[in-house]
Amino acid sequence: MTAQSKDIAQELIDAMASLAAVLLRESELLRRMKVSETAALKPNKEALTERYATLALAVRRDPQALDRLAPARRKALASVAKGFAEVAQANERAVKGARDANEMLFRSIAQALGATDSAAQSYTRGGKTPATRSSASTRPVSLNARL
């Protein structure tokens, strides 16, 4: 095992562990519907993701680097990688769940706005009802950014 192989293995372990911790926190916040609090995690998540991607690319360029690791080090790396993959999958599900909940909320709002159009009619001075808005017309809507 070379010093470079050992270093990249430890760097990968550290990067995956750090990124997994951020992903776990993000998943927890999303499950608790505290979406706005996830914004604070973004800079660290992006930096750790970039670091992990850089290291993964380095390993792909030199696949024998992992073969040169001592069996115990290779086993430790594989174990951390497995745990990281599980955390990443759980995070993906949490992000999808939050996205789906937001889409459902917006669809409900759009449907509610559409339903009020037909009920909110009055007569004009000529005694006729005005033309109803089509469901495709635009309507002003203001949403709180904390949603």
Side-chain angles (χ1 to χ4, degrees):
M1 168 178 57
T2 66
Q4 185 179 9
S5 297
K6 183 178 179 183
D7 290 346
I8 200 162
Q10 189 57 53
E11 286 185 58
L12 264 171
I13 287 170
D14 293 344
M16 287 186 286
S18 297
L19 184 52
V22 172
L23 295 177
L24 282 170
R25 177 69 179 139
E26 182 181 54
S27 296
E28 175 187 333
L29 290 170
L30 291 172
R31 278 192 295 274
R32 295 171 59 207
M33 296 306 291
K34 296 190 176 209
V35 177
S36 62
E37 291 182 32
T38 63
L41 301 174
K42 186 177 179 180
N44 194 27
K45 180 181 175 183
E46 288 175 349
L48 290 168
T49 299
E50 184 176 331
R51 181 67 183 141
Y52 171 72
T54 299
L55 291 166
L57 183 60
V59 169
R60 279 193 200 104
R61 288 184 179 150
D62 182 16
Q64 289 79 30
L66 299 181
D67 293 337
R68 293 187 296 264
L69 292 173
R73 176 63 90 180
R74 196 176 4 215
K75 186 176 179 180
L77 182 59
S79 176
V80 171
K82 181 181 177 190
F84 175 73
E86 291 168 359
V87 168
Q89 287 173 351
N91 180 260
E92 186 177 347
R93 287 189 301 271
V95 169
K96 183 183 181 319
R99 184 181 314 120
D100 290 348
N102 281 335
E103 287 176 8
M104 189 172 21
L105 172 66
F106 286 114
R107 274 195 302 274
S108 296
I109 290 170
Q111 286 174 350
L113 288 172
T116 60
D117 276 349
S118 60
Q121 292 186 16
S122 61
Y123 291 97
T124 64
R125 287 186 183 211
K128 297 181 180 180
T129 58
T132 60
R133 294 184 198 175
S134 72
S135 61
S137 67
T138 59
R139 294 169 190 86
V141 176
S142 176
L143 296 176
N144 186 330
R146 297 179 74 183
L147 288 176

